[in-house]
Amino acid sequence: MDEFMTLVCPNSPYVWDGNDFSECFEDIVIGFGTNVVTLLMIAVLAITQRSSRGIWRVSCSERISLHFLPAIGACLSVLGMILLMKKETNGAFIAYHKWLVSCSEFVMWTSMIFFSNCASSHYIFRNHILCIWWMLKPLLGIFRLLTMFSSLEVLICIKESSVVLLDIVYGIAINVVRTQKSSSKSSLLEGSLLSDDMDIEEGCLQNLNDWNYWDMVTFKFITPVLNHGVTKQLDSEDLLQLPTDMDPSSCHNIMLNCWQAHLRVSFSNPSLLRAICYAYGWPYLRLGLLKVLNDCISFAGPLLLNKLIRFLEQDSGSLGGYVLAISLGLTSIFKSFLDTQYTFHLSKLKLKLRSSIMTLIYQKCLYVDRTVNLCNSFHDMWSLPLQIGVALYLLYIQVKFAFLSGIAISVLLIPVNKWIAKLIASATGKMMKQKDERIRRTGELLTYIRTLKMYGWELLFSNWLMETRSSEVKHLATRKYLDAWCVFFWATTPTLFSLFTFGLFTLMGHQLDAALVFTCLALFNTLISPLNSFPWVINGLIDAFISTRRLNRFLSCSEHNAKVGETTDSSSLRTYQSDSTQNMAVVVHEACCAWSSSEEEALNLVLNHVTLALAKGSFIAIIGEVGSGKSSLLYSILREMRLINGSISSNGSMAYVPQVPWILSGTIRDNILFGKNYDPERYSDTLRACALDVDISLMVGGDMAYIGEKGTNLSGGQRARLALARAAYHDSDTIMLDDILSAVDAQVAQWILNNAILGPPMQDKTRLLCTHNIQAMSSADMIVVMDKGHVKWVGSSADFSTSSYLAFSPLNEFDQLFHDQGQNRTISSSSEIKQHSVIEGDNVPVLVGGKEIIEVEMRKEGNVELRVYKNYAMFSGWFISVIICMSAILMQASRNGNDLWLSYWVDTTTGSSQTRYPTSFYLGVLCLFCIINSFLTLVRAFSFAFGGLQAAIKVHNRLLSKLINAPVQFFDQTPGGRILNRFSSDLYTIDDSLPFILNVLLANFVGLLGIAIVLSYVQVFFLLLLLPFWYIYSRLQLFYRSTSRELRRLDSVSRSPIYTSFTETLDGSPTIRAFNSEDFFFARFTEHVTLYQKTSYTEVTASLWLSLRLQLLAALIVSFIALMAVIGSHGSLPVSFGTPGLVGLALSYAAPIVSLLGSFLTSFTETEKEMVSIERALQYMDIPQEELLGCQSLNPDWPNQGVIEFQNVTLRYMPSLPAALYHITFTIAGGTQVGIIGRTGAGKSSVLNALFRLAPVCTGSIFVDGINIANIPVRDLRAHFAVVPQSPFLFEGSLRDNLDPFQTCADLKIWNALEKCNVKEEVEAAGGLDIHIKESGMSFSVGQRQLLCLARALLKSSKVLCLDECTANVDTQTASVLQNTIASECRGMTVVTIAHRISTVLNMDNILILDRGNLVEQGNPQALLQVEFSRFSSFAKASTM
């Protein structure tokens, strides 16, 4: 045995040579042994699978992996044998172990080529054991590779590197082929995405069949989009088509199934992160293999650089130098392709995850983008330590144990960074909580801006919002300054590493030379990127995990599981269901319902032991006082409340019209169809029955006219009739209407009752109507009386008049009179009623088409203007901007000075030029450079943090200030989601992303500037390359930037509909569920997400197109400098390239150009993209403003008389619209009560808009107590009036704050006001004045909210009180109480009431009747009643309620 080993391993130890494994051991065990094992595995598999047959379609990728790659391997092994023979012929001794390795390698590859042609080859090479072995084999080859690099034999090093690289590529290839072939048999959790992520042909080429594989690798398929971007403004049609595996619907299905499967397994402790792993884990891990290869290739540069410098020091005349120079460039090129492909597939995976989560949590506001950070950060968490570890090992090879001093610095920083990361996590969590609250408050302000302006509360609300923002900025500042410390510690680490490593190395007695110093410098530069990235990776992971936990809590909440039409009952009551209930539309038995989902609050029952049986096809009127539970009964039938006890069952489909109609932003037709197919005849009949046909005929665009968000450009009556038309058109079995008649005037109410609710569209349907309308009660088949959550009485309308419940029997003399008259006269023919009811030509902005009402979101074109950058610098502060720039330049200068000093040190201490300076002198100067660099790094980091914070604060404050001072018309024309986008996504960019990317841009710019200056100084010929290179570089970036700007703007615009869709769906979720339209709205939302995904996908691909080309360009520079250095070392050029130290410095500086150039333009382009957020914020800083100032100062007690005069007033909402008020002239005497009536859209609310200056008056003047209100500061004007708006407004906060936000009234006064408004008992029952109002006061009924608003108005004690249909949503008994309260408490005040109920205005001093913006009649109501043909008399006759 010894003789055999001596023969195989002559002149070499068998295993250990004292420092490492011997060369013989590595060749026999790692080289020859692995080849033999591979050969045996293939042979065994070939024998065992020889009987397997099957038809196997071989794709292009499989042919490459099974035939082409082994052929390359065989060629490389032949090349190795040729090199051995050449050495032997030159007289060198070649040991047998070298021949064993080369020959076994050749046999292995040729055997693979042979077996790949067998019929059973697909069974052999798809075997999972062989696939795993091929992933381990390259790791063993790396040990031999490191041994080879210790020699200076260039060709052998390159050959061995190629062998290891081929092993890695082949291992990845056969694993991908195996995965693709097995994906069709895999389960949903593991295989649904496996075939698409790594194989480009399976993805994009399904949609881009014209492009070949090479075009896909080089991203040539994006070229048409780039060409469009240069010539025109990009539209959604110009974007790339999404690959099929990235379609949001399929991504949603995958994620939903994985989440549901995980819930079934871990119901008690579900984890969204695990569900994400089930859905995307395996493709993500496969990308990790590509990341490993990419990271390994990155270290080839420093190693080749070391070989090249040593070659130049030896001044050898062989061709090895040229081979090394070219290899340096080829390595850069190969890494460019790997880098871009990894980023491309990772970005695709991130987009899939984003769309999955967005669609999964569609019904809530989301925080998705932070969760997607997991994709980047998780791989970086292991990749960065790997890169750092390999770099440190290579440093050990160069400087032995001296590098431990550098490691000591890193180790000391670990606990510091861990502590900082913990603080950042805490600050981030608190900041996100405050951000949520700020966005909620902003949404509240935007939703109720009209009401807030009427109250004069917009400054109060903005101050509350500023307090929340201050708390958010406080935590943001903590995070930013902690980030600055992170940047400081990690950015200075390479410099400190260099100082301590070289210092210890020289103190240990070693001599520095050019190859050692500049190889180490290249490795230090390699360390910079992972070291600097690490804090951001930690932050990204922290953000991701925080967001994932929040999403996890949200997704784990109980859902609205019961479908409308199903039965929900307690097990003890199942026997109650009998055959007789089959004829019932709705059966409620002993139902107890609550709004709360928690057990602790379950005792607060809203419905208590309710039992009802509603027959199919009947018309049921549900009546009761305000807060009696009418709306809650409908909600319980819709399964929107929590059923504590009892059972509720319903049969058939449902339709629902809420008390506050929910209007979708879109066309009128979209609102009515609601996803249902268009039937022209039924559609026309529905419009006629709901009295909408004439309204629509007056609109520009007809039923295709665009309706703004929440129906802002429709009157209240039109919104109600539009929602009713939706319910009528859907032909549902059960139709639930919540007090819709109160929103329209008497004549229209009579028309829609007779023609819609009782007419053909809803005939034979089960109709539930919550109402206070007497005519509706008399027409009902059944009346249900609710009282404090109980069913007080049930019976027919015939029995109702004799009931002991007197609240709804004769209400007042007037209503009873007309009710009795109604029994004795026949209702007018439908044509007559139609004639009265549809003369409702609306003169609110609805008369205009969609293009004029809702403006298309503006997108800037071309470059981001210089003024945008100037504005950002101004926001940050000019002084701090100068400090940032100077510190960055000086920091780079100190770093370059450090490297030049090292070059000088090497040149003066090696060779013949021995210096008299001691080592301590060189170390001292090096230490000085290090201290200066560290200080300037600290200054730059903290300056950026401070400047970014200042900009974030000023942008938010100015944006908010401009918005609250904007006229109401701006908010009517601009969807709330569009404005909210500025305050959420854009502001987050300004807070967080923009300062970061600007910091990166500045660092890259000064880094490139420093490299260019040093290279020009060291190598004169670099200047020859600089001009053409800069030309190509500028052309590329100009070509790309024009498209990238358009894509970024399109990205911002495509994001707004997603926000709008979320907020709309949250508001209308009960309606959507009632109509069973979840699928329609999900499909609608998916369309928005698809456009957003297409924009992001195109954006990512375009950036990678540029990145690849820039990196290839940089690779040419590296090759050029390396070749010029080799040529110069031969003395072939007339210009000397200086000392070996300077040549080494030039080569070490050329290497980072590959990443730095790409990073510079990427950061520059990203900065432009992020600057779009500043640009969009500046757009809203330039919106029209209200005329806040006035020349007339007011006394505190103004108005003291309350005389209101309109003199020839004309009002238009937009120049293109007809006049909403046309030459109106009237006078309201002080202390009188005046009612304004008219059909829907007659201009009633426009009178208040003019009085409160919510809309500009075109001509004429308005005087209050003799003072022209145009001369009064607008906020002072509104603050002196009291108002109760049409839509009741309660904000989130305590009830006391809602009633008295300025804290001017004592509690006793507040309780008195509540008592006068008949709502004191309900407030006491709810918990008093300190109860917390949530979600716009949803815990109170609409009627109760209106009573609270009236109490708020009474507390103001103004001489002028304006009531905008405030009794529309309360029962007639409560309305009567309110009228008495107003009559008694408002005596001596001027009360202007907009009313629908005739009884409301009957006892007033004066009434004004409007029609189409004209004042057609005025006078005392009692006097007008006596005139048979007066307008008021016709209204009264129509009002039998």
Side-chain angles (χ1 to χ4, degrees):
M1 185 65 183
D2 290 339
E3 293 178 1
F4 174 75
M5 292 303 297
T6 303
L7 178 67
V8 175
C9 300
N11 306 322
S12 173
Y14 300 156
V15 178
W16 192 257
D17 62 4
N19 294 317
D20 208 339
F21 287 113
S22 67
E23 188 178 358
C24 176
F25 177 81
E26 288 183 349
D27 283 343
I28 294 294
V29 176
I30 298 175
F32 176 72
T34 54
N35 292 335
V36 170
V37 169
T38 306
L39 194 60
L40 288 173
M41 288 176 69
I42 293 171
V44 170
L45 288 170
I47 294 169
T48 56
Q49 299 290 342
R50 66 182 183 276
S51 60
S52 302
R53 292 289 186 272
I55 299 172
W56 186 28
R57 184 184 175 189
V58 181
S59 67
C60 177
S61 59
E62 293 161 5
R63 195 174 291 112
I64 289 172
S65 62
L66 294 181
H67 298 280
F68 183 64
L69 293 179
I72 293 176
C75 293
L76 286 173
S77 58
V78 170
L79 175 64
M81 289 189 284
I82 292 172
L83 290 174
L84 290 177
M85 284 188 283
K86 182 181 177 183
K87 286 178 70 176
E88 199 167 42
T89 54
N90 290 335
F93 173 75
I94 306 298
Y96 283 111
H97 56 82
K98 297 289 185 187
W99 287 107
L100 284 173
V101 173
S102 294
C103 294
S104 63
E105 195 175 274
F106 177 75
V107 173
M108 180 192 71
W109 288 115
T110 50
S111 301
M112 288 170 63
I113 295 171
F114 171 76
F115 286 116
S116 64
N117 293 310
C118 297
S120 59
S121 60
H122 55 291
Y123 293 105
I124 299 171
F125 294 100
R126 278 171 51 195
N127 184 273
H128 66 280
I129 297 175
L130 186 64
C131 289
I132 292 171
W133 169 250
W134 270 107
M135 299 311 298
L136 297 174
K137 188 173 181 292
L139 299 177
L140 299 173
I142 290 173
F143 290 103
R144 289 191 69 245
L145 184 63
L146 292 173
T147 303
M148 293 296 174
F149 266 91
S150 62
S151 70
L152 283 175
E153 299 178 45
V154 175
L155 289 175
I156 291 179
C157 290
I158 292 173
K159 181 258 175 185
E160 290 298 331
S161 300
S162 302
V163 169
V164 173
L165 181 62
L166 184 66
D167 283 346
I168 294 171
V169 173
Y170 187 78
I172 292 174
I174 63 171
N175 273 280
V176 170
V177 170
R178 185 182 73 85
T179 304
Q180 289 173 343
K181 289 298 175 184
S182 61
S183 64
S184 58
K185 301 177 183 177
S186 299
S187 67
L188 174 66
L189 294 184
E190 296 181 354
S192 54
L193 293 175
L194 303 186
S195 61
D196 296 305
D197 279 47
M198 292 293 291
D199 187 8
I200 301 175
E201 291 177 311
E202 292 291 319
C204 299
L205 286 181
Q206 290 178 352
N207 297 309
L208 301 168
N209 292 317
D210 297 335
W211 305 103
N212 56 36
Y213 188 84
W214 176 250
D215 292 333
M216 300 298 294
V217 170
T218 57
F219 303 103
K220 191 177 177 182
F221 61 92
I222 192 69
T223 307
V225 180
L226 295 171
N227 288 329
H228 285 307
V230 173
T231 56
K232 71 183 187 79
Q233 188 177 19
L234 288 180
D235 296 315
S236 57
E237 294 79 15
D238 300 315
L239 300 173
L240 289 176
Q241 292 300 311
L242 286 176
T244 52
D245 62 315
M246 289 181 66
D247 180 68
S249 297
S250 63
C251 292
H252 169 76
N253 292 335
I254 290 160
M255 193 69 209
L256 180 64
N257 287 326
C258 291
W259 173 249
Q260 289 175 343
H262 180 61
L263 274 180
R264 286 192 293 271
V265 176
S266 306
F267 182 76
S268 59
N269 187 27
S271 169
L272 178 62
L273 194 56
R274 289 182 184 175
I276 292 172
C277 291
Y278 289 153
Y280 301 109
W282 176 235
Y284 187 62
L285 288 176
R286 288 197 345 250
L287 280 177
L289 300 176
L290 190 61
K291 177 72 172 166
V292 171
L293 177 60
N294 189 29
D295 290 344
C296 292
I297 293 296
S298 65
F299 290 102
L303 295 175
L304 288 169
L305 177 65
N306 180 276
K307 293 290 181 187
L308 185 57
I309 294 176
R310 293 203 183 279
F311 173 85
L312 295 175
E313 284 180 336
Q314 292 177 355
D315 198 20
S316 172
S318 67
L319 295 176
Y322 294 103
V323 173
L324 283 169
I326 294 169
S327 298
L328 204 58
L330 291 175
T331 303
S332 300
I333 291 170
F334 184 66
K335 187 179 185 306
S336 300
F337 282 105
L338 281 180
D339 201 30
T340 49
Q341 285 302 305
Y342 169 74
T343 307
F344 177 65
H345 290 293
L346 183 66
S347 299
K348 281 177 65 178
L349 204 60
K350 285 166 63 179
L351 291 177
K352 290 180 190 178
L353 179 58
R354 185 178 73 180
S355 67
S356 298
I357 297 178
M358 286 178 78
T359 50
L360 196 62
I361 59 171
Y362 167 46
Q363 292 184 345
K364 283 281 187 182
C365 291
L366 72 167
Y367 297 92
V368 174
D369 294 329
R370 308 281 74 77
T371 303
V372 176
N373 280 345
L374 278 171
C375 289
N376 287 76
S377 302
F378 187 74
H379 272 327
D380 289 340
M381 273 301 288
W382 61 260
S383 170
L384 296 182
L386 174 68
Q387 293 177 50
I388 293 168
V390 174
L392 292 177
Y393 176 73
L394 295 175
L395 279 172
Y396 163 74
I397 293 175
Q398 298 297 322
V399 294
K400 301 304 176 189
F401 289 103
F403 85 100
L404 289 174
S405 59
I407 285 185
I409 302 249
S410 302
V411 170
L412 287 173
L413 287 177
I414 287 173
V416 176
N417 281 284
K418 184 179 179 182
W419 176 66
I420 291 175
K422 187 177 179 181
L423 293 176
I424 288 174
S426 173
T428 302
K430 293 173 183 175
M431 184 192 77
M432 296 293 271
K433 198 172 288 185
Q434 292 298 323
K435 181 191 170 196
D436 289 347
E437 177 64 14
R438 175 178 60 80
I439 292 175
R440 185 199 63 75
R441 283 185 180 270
T442 306
E444 197 171 52
L445 185 144
L446 294 174
T447 303
Y448 299 107
I449 187 67
R450 176 183 290 272
T451 306
L452 290 173
K453 282 184 176 292
M454 293 181 82
Y455 281 129
W457 286 1
E458 64 266 44
L459 283 180
L460 176 69
F461 260 67
S462 68
N463 288 337
W464 288 346
L465 187 56
M466 291 291 290
E467 289 174 11
T468 309
R469 174 64 174 169
S470 297
S471 300
E472 182 189 2
V473 168
K474 177 185 172 185
H475 300 304
L476 177 67
T478 304
R479 174 180 163 159
K480 284 294 175 188
Y481 290 131
L482 288 170
D483 280 345
W485 278 112
C486 276
V487 169
F488 167 71
F489 285 132
W490 286 102
T492 55
T493 299
T495 311
L496 293 171
F497 214 107
S498 157
L499 171 68
F500 281 84
T501 301
F502 290 142
L504 183 60
F505 188 70
T506 53
L507 292 174
M508 288 167 64
H510 298 290
Q511 185 75 28
L512 292 176
D513 59 56
L516 182 146
V517 166
F518 294 108
T519 301
C520 289
L521 276 182
L523 290 170
F524 293 152
N525 285 330
T526 307
L527 275 174
I528 287 174
S529 178
L531 287 175
N532 283 346
S533 299
F534 212 72
W536 308 113
V537 170
I538 293 172
N539 289 348
L541 272 178
I542 289 167
D543 281 354
F545 281 118
I546 288 173
S547 296
T548 305
R549 280 201 300 269
R550 296 166 72 198
L551 291 176
N552 195 64
R553 284 196 299 270
F554 167 76
L555 291 171
S556 302
C557 291
S558 59
E559 298 179 1
H560 181 272
N561 291 323
K563 294 289 184 185
V564 173
E566 295 176 354
T567 299
T568 308
D569 56 2
S570 303
S571 58
S572 60
L573 296 168
R574 292 183 191 277
T575 56
Y576 178 79
Q577 309 295 331
S578 63
D579 296 336
S580 62
T581 62
Q582 297 303 314
N583 297 321
M584 296 294 172
V586 177
V587 176
V588 182
H589 180 67
E590 290 295 321
C592 298
C593 297
W595 284 111
S596 173
S597 59
S598 63
E599 295 295 339
E600 293 79 8
E601 299 178 28
L603 295 177
N604 298 327
L605 298 178
V606 179
L607 296 179
N608 197 354
H609 296 286
V610 172
T611 298
L612 276 177
L614 308 179
K616 290 182 179 177
S618 59
F619 174 34
I620 300 101
I622 303 171
I623 63 176
E625 295 181 5
V626 170
S628 59
K630 303 185 296 298
S631 299
S632 298
L633 180 61
L634 299 188
Y635 275 123
S636 65
I637 296 170
L638 289 170
R639 313 296 193 273
E640 294 294 329
M641 297 182 71
R642 185 180 176 212
L643 183 64
I644 306 296
N645 188 34
S647 65
I648 300 173
S649 64
S650 56
N651 294 313
S653 56
M654 292 271 187
Y656 171 59
V657 179
Q659 195 167 7
V660 178
W662 180 65
I663 304 300
L664 194 63
S665 55
T667 64
I668 289 176
R669 183 180 292 184
D670 289 341
N671 269 279
I672 295 174
L673 296 184
F674 216 56
K676 203 172 177 70
N677 293 330
Y678 177 62
D679 179 350
E681 186 178 352
R682 181 171 182 79
Y683 183 77
S684 178
D685 292 342
T686 302
L687 293 183
R688 194 177 304 110
C690 297
L692 278 171
D693 47 353
V694 174
D695 294 80
I696 290 174
S697 68
L698 293 171
M699 298 179 191
V700 178
D703 67 343
M704 300 307 289
Y706 193 90
I707 304 303
E709 193 174 8
K710 296 187 178 180
T712 51
N713 48 338
L714 292 176
S715 68
Q718 286 171 324
R719 288 197 289 269
R721 285 181 285 134
L722 187 59
L724 177 66
R726 177 193 299 154
Y729 184 80
H730 268 249
D731 197 30
S732 300
D733 299 315
T734 303
I735 301 169
M736 292 186 278
L737 311 171
D738 196 350
D739 202 17
I740 61 161
L741 298 179
S742 63
V744 296
D745 61 70
Q747 286 177 305
V748 177
Q750 185 179 4
W751 171 266
I752 62 177
L753 178 63
N754 293 325
N755 292 276
I757 300 174
L758 300 174
M762 299 186 186
Q763 210 163 18
D764 301 325
K765 306 296 180 186
T766 307
R767 291 142 293 168
L768 284 75
L769 173 66
C770 293
T771 187
H772 309 300
N773 184 305
I774 290 183
Q775 187 182 5
M777 295 178 208
S778 62
S779 305
D781 301 316
M782 177 189 289
I783 293 177
V784 178
V785 180
M786 298 294 297
D787 182 36
K788 297 180 180 178
H790 298 270
V791 174
K792 188 165 186 177
W793 187 87
V794 178
S796 68
S797 57
D799 299 330
F800 180 64
S801 59
T802 59
S803 167
S804 60
Y805 189 72
L806 300 176
F808 289 87
S809 211
L811 295 172
N812 54 55
E813 294 175 3
F814 177 80
D815 279 333
Q816 182 61 29
L817 168 69
F818 280 97
H819 181 62
D820 293 341
Q821 289 178 356
Q823 305 300 318
N824 300 321
R825 65 178 176 85
T826 57
I827 296 175
S828 306
S829 68
S830 62
S831 60
E832 289 173 344
I833 294 178
K834 182 72 173 191
Q835 186 179 358
H836 286 292
S837 63
V838 298
I839 305 175
E840 300 180 17
D842 278 89
N843 40 41
V844 288
V846 74
L847 288 171
V848 121
K851 290 184 180 176
E852 296 178 41
I853 290 298
I854 303 299
E855 296 176 355
V856 176
E857 185 161 10
M858 210 172 75
R859 278 202 291 146
K860 293 260 187 180
E861 295 185 46
N863 294 336
V864 174
E865 298 171 6
L866 185 61
R867 73 174 186 87
V868 178
Y869 292 93
K870 284 183 177 177
N871 274 292
Y872 186 72
M874 183 180 68
F875 290 139
S876 300
W878 287 109
F879 177 73
I880 204 72
S881 300
V882 172
I883 292 289
I884 289 168
C885 293
M886 290 302 299
S887 61
I889 292 168
L890 293 174
M891 187 190 78
Q892 185 60 38
S894 66
R895 182 170 292 173
N896 293 140
N898 182 80
D899 295 338
L900 285 167
W901 179 253
L902 272 173
S903 173
Y904 174 75
W905 183 355
V906 168
D907 288 335
T908 54
T909 56
T910 55
S912 58
S913 58
Q914 293 292 332
T915 181
R916 63 180 182 274
Y917 299 129
T919 302
S920 59
F921 172 74
Y922 291 107
L923 280 176
V925 175
L926 199 66
C927 187
L928 182 64
F929 274 117
C930 181
I931 292 169
I932 293 171
N933 181 264
S934 299
F935 172 74
L936 291 169
T937 303
L938 191 66
V939 171
R940 193 193 98 195
F942 275 85
S943 300
F944 249 112
F946 179 78
L949 279 170
Q950 290 301 306
I953 293 167
K954 290 177 184 176
V955 168
H956 176 269
N957 293 355
R958 186 170 299 184
L959 191 59
L960 181 61
S961 172
K962 292 290 182 180
L963 275 171
I964 63 169
N965 293 331
V968 171
Q969 182 186 359
F970 169 77
F971 298 97
D972 290 341
Q973 294 177 345
T974 310
R978 195 180 295 175
I979 302 173
L980 200 60
N981 197 359
R982 261 75 172 181
F983 280 94
S984 53
S985 179
D986 288 325
L987 197 63
Y988 188 82
T989 297
I990 295 165
D991 285 353
D992 195 62
S993 311
L994 183 57
F996 169 69
I997 202 67
L998 267 175
N999 199 349
V1000 173
L1001 172 68
L1002 187 61
N1004 286 333
F1005 173 73
V1006 295
L1008 277 174
L1009 187 65
I1011 287 176
I1013 291 170
V1014 170
L1015 287 179
S1016 301
Y1017 166 70
V1018 173
Q1019 283 201 356
V1020 179
F1021 281 101
F1022 178 72
L1023 294 172
L1024 298 177
L1025 191 65
L1026 201 57
L1027 196 60
F1029 171 74
W1030 182 253
Y1031 173 76
I1032 297 170
Y1033 183 73
S1034 60
R1035 294 292 297 174
L1036 271 176
Q1037 60 98 10
L1038 282 172
F1039 185 58
Y1040 166 74
R1041 277 173 55 208
S1042 56
T1043 303
S1044 78
R1045 281 192 306 269
E1046 290 299 311
L1047 288 172
R1048 185 61 177 203
R1049 287 164 180 154
L1050 199 59
D1051 178 82
S1052 294
V1053 170
S1054 64
R1055 199 186 302 124
S1056 293
I1058 294 176
Y1059 281 99
T1060 303
S1061 196
F1062 265 107
T1063 53
E1064 272 190 345
T1065 304
L1066 282 171
D1067 290 338
S1069 54
T1071 307
I1072 293 170
R1073 287 193 285 262
F1075 280 88
N1076 201 22
S1077 296
E1078 293 95 332
D1079 292 341
F1080 167 70
F1081 276 85
F1082 180 78
R1084 186 170 172 266
F1085 178 74
T1086 304
E1087 289 176 11
H1088 297 319
V1089 176
T1090 301
L1091 177 60
Y1092 187 33
Q1093 290 288 89
K1094 284 170 67 176
T1095 310
S1096 302
Y1097 178 61
T1098 308
E1099 203 175 357
V1100 165
T1101 309
S1103 67
L1104 291 173
W1105 175 92
L1106 173 74
S1107 177
L1108 178 64
R1109 280 148 185 78
L1110 285 182
Q1111 291 188 57
L1112 292 177
L1113 206 58
L1116 292 177
I1117 292 181
V1118 173
S1119 301
F1120 174 81
I1121 291 174
L1123 285 170
M1124 295 305 292
V1126 174
I1127 294 170
S1129 69
H1130 294 163
S1132 307
L1133 295 173
V1135 181
S1136 172
F1137 285 110
T1139 61
L1142 289 176
V1143 172
L1145 181 64
L1147 287 169
S1148 66
Y1149 265 41
I1153 287 182
V1154 178
S1155 58
L1156 205 54
L1157 271 176
S1159 179
F1160 170 69
L1161 193 53
T1162 301
S1163 60
F1164 182 66
T1165 309
E1166 284 298 317
T1167 301
E1168 272 204 322
K1169 291 176 182 178
E1170 304 291 359
M1171 272 292 171
V1172 171
S1173 293
I1174 290 285
E1175 185 182 67
R1176 284 161 58 81
L1178 288 172
Q1179 284 176 8
Y1180 278 18
M1181 291 180 192
D1182 198 28
I1183 55 178
Q1185 300 287 283
E1186 287 187 307
E1187 295 180 16
L1188 298 175
L1189 302 177
C1191 58
Q1192 182 76 49
S1193 59
L1194 295 176
N1195 294 323
D1197 60 343
W1198 181 91
N1200 48 23
Q1201 297 175 5
V1203 179
I1204 301 172
E1205 297 177 69
F1206 274 58
Q1207 295 181 1
N1208 204 31
V1209 172
T1210 299
L1211 181 144
R1212 295 178 192 272
Y1213 288 101
M1214 291 177 68
S1216 58
L1217 293 177
L1221 296 176
Y1222 188 72
H1223 294 300
I1224 293 284
T1225 300
F1226 60 83
T1227 300
I1228 298 175
T1232 59
Q1233 296 193 13
V1234 176
I1236 302 175
I1237 62 174
R1239 299 182 181 92
T1240 306
K1244 303 185 294 294
S1245 295
S1246 297
V1247 172
L1248 293 190
N1249 288 343
L1251 182 61
F1252 282 82
R1253 287 177 58 187
L1254 293 177
V1257 172
C1258 302
T1259 60
S1261 303
I1262 303 173
F1263 293 88
V1264 177
D1265 281 3
I1267 297 176
N1268 190 337
I1269 65 170
N1271 298 327
I1272 303 173
V1274 69
R1275 289 204 176 105
D1276 287 351
L1277 172 74
R1278 294 166 185 166
H1280 283 81
F1281 295 159
V1283 64
V1284 179
Q1286 185 173 2
S1287 299
F1289 163 56
L1290 293 176
F1291 56 85
E1292 185 161 333
S1294 71
L1295 181 59
R1296 178 184 279 103
D1297 287 341
N1298 268 274
L1299 296 173
D1300 181 28
F1302 295 101
Q1303 308 291 326
T1304 58
C1305 300
D1307 283 6
L1308 183 61
K1309 188 176 179 181
I1310 296 174
W1311 282 114
N1312 288 337
L1314 293 173
E1315 188 172 15
K1316 290 169 186 174
C1317 295
N1318 204 31
V1319 77
K1320 181 180 178 181
E1321 290 183 13
E1322 286 79 359
V1323 172
E1324 286 176 335
L1329 296 177
D1330 294 321
I1331 60 168
H1332 191 74
I1333 305 294
K1334 287 187 177 181
E1335 297 177 0
S1336 307
M1338 287 300 290
S1339 53
F1340 292 102
S1341 70
V1342 176
Q1344 287 171 332
R1345 279 178 262 163
Q1346 221 151 14
L1347 294 173
L1348 290 171
C1349 290
L1350 178 61
R1352 178 195 291 155
L1354 293 179
L1355 286 169
K1356 198 167 187 179
S1357 302
S1358 171
K1359 194 69 177 178
V1360 175
L1361 173 62
C1362 300
L1363 308 173
D1364 191 354
E1365 300 176 324
C1366 73
T1367 60
N1369 294 305
V1370 297
D1371 59 78
T1372 44
Q1373 186 185 27
T1374 308
S1376 179
V1377 172
L1378 286 177
Q1379 289 161 29
N1380 294 332
T1381 302
I1382 293 167
S1384 60
E1385 296 300 319
C1386 302
R1387 191 172 289 115
M1389 294 169 57
T1390 302
V1391 180
V1392 181
T1393 303
I1394 294 174
H1396 283 147
R1397 287 192 177 131
I1398 300 300
S1399 58
T1400 306
V1401 299
L1402 183 65
N1403 296 319
M1404 290 192 174
D1405 302 310
N1406 199 7
I1407 59 169
L1408 306 174
I1409 301 178
L1410 299 178
D1411 186 21
R1412 296 192 183 185
N1414 294 288
L1415 180 60
V1416 294
E1417 192 171 272
Q1418 63 177 318
N1420 183 275
Q1422 297 292 347
L1424 291 175
L1425 270 179
Q1426 307 306 317
V1427 181
E1428 186 178 356
F1429 298 106
S1430 68
R1431 293 283 188 117
F1432 185 65
S1433 181
S1434 66
F1435 270 115
K1437 288 173 183 175
S1439 176
T1440 58
M1441 52 203 77

